[in-house]
Amino acid sequence: MNPISLILLALAMSTDAFAAAIGKGASLHNPRFIEALRTGLIFGVIEGITPLIGWGIGQAATSYVKNWDHWIAFTLLLILGVHMIYNGLKHEDAEEEKPNQHSFLILAVTAFATSIDALAVGVGLAFVNVNILVAAAAIGVATTVMVTIGVMLGRVLGTVVGKRAEIVGGVVLMLVGATILYEHLSAA
């Protein structure tokens, strides 16, 4: 995977966490940087670990699907991208109750929920030539930065920008999948 694809993947993986962070920031009165950074670190660590787990699962299956692995990576990224776009476009009718402060447990559960796509991406990355430690670190760092910024911007920007960020993230995931497919097919 080339460096630009890696950066795009890391940013795409962090957009759903960014959207959640905007919501978390919007629910706080004058969020402090330390709360934003704490939230960013929790999300970043979880988002960085999940592709490693997915990669391990994918490695176990590599020998069985070696001839069509690029199609698996493309399909997973396409499905995840479409899902992110769908979530970004759907309207939520019910207004969620906003907490006064965020507990570690609530943040960890939210971070895990937004990192399920990174787990699936990790499975897909097992089928292509990529250094998973570098990819996971890039995803973790990008998520930490994006979530920290998202919390700080949340009170001002609200959920509208968060939904748009998820749509952009979905499009980027699909582009990364198409790039993987193109690189494999053009090398054959």
Side-chain angles (χ1 to χ4, degrees), residues 107-161:
L107 291 175
V109 168
T110 305
F112 180 74
T114 62
S115 70
I116 296 298
D117 56 347
L119 179 91
V121 165
V123 172
L125 290 177
F127 303 123
V128 296
N129 184 22
V130 64
N131 182 332
I132 190 61
L133 295 177
V134 171
I139 291 168
V141 168
T143 301
T144 299
V145 171
M146 293 287 285
V147 168
T148 301
I149 292 169
V151 170
M152 295 305 294
L153 295 176
R155 195 174 120 221
V156 175
L157 300 176
T159 58
V160 173
V161 171

Side-chain angles (χ1 to χ4, degrees), residues 152-178:
M152 295 305 294
L153 295 176
R155 195 174 120 221
V156 175
L157 300 176
T159 58
V160 173
V161 171
K163 290 292 187 182
R164 289 187 182 140
E166 196 161 15
I167 293 167
V168 170
V171 170
V172 169
L173 270 185
M174 293 189 301
L175 288 173
V176 169

Side-chain angles (χ1 to χ4, degrees), residues 46-172:
I46 291 173
E47 193 91 22
I49 290 171
T50 53
L52 294 172
I53 295 168
W55 184 81
I57 293 167
Q59 282 294 305
T62 297
S63 63
Y64 301 108
V65 293
K66 205 169 222 170
N67 291 332
W68 36 282
D69 55 5
H70 52 284
W71 286 104
I72 293 172
F74 170 73
T75 303
L76 285 173
L77 290 171
L78 180 70
I79 290 168
L80 290 170
V82 168
H83 180 69
M84 286 176 72
I85 292 169
Y86 171 77
N87 284 337
L89 292 174
K90 77 177 180 184
H91 298 283
E92 296 181 16
D93 297 328
E95 179 75 22
E96 291 184 27
E97 190 172 315
K98 298 176 180 179
N100 291 330
Q101 66 184 45
H102 304 301
S103 71
F104 175 81
L105 181 62
I106 294 293
L107 291 175
V109 168
T110 305
F112 180 74
T114 62
S115 70
I116 296 298
D117 56 347
L119 179 91
V121 165
V123 172
L125 290 177
F127 303 123
V128 296
N129 184 22
V130 64
N131 182 332
I132 190 61
L133 295 177
V134 171
I139 291 168
V141 168
T143 301
T144 299
V145 171
M146 293 287 285
V147 168
T148 301
I149 292 169
V151 170
M152 295 305 294
L153 295 176
R155 195 174 120 221
V156 175
L157 300 176
T159 58
V160 173
V161 171
K163 290 292 187 182
R164 289 187 182 140
E166 196 161 15
I167 293 167
V168 170
V171 170
V172 169

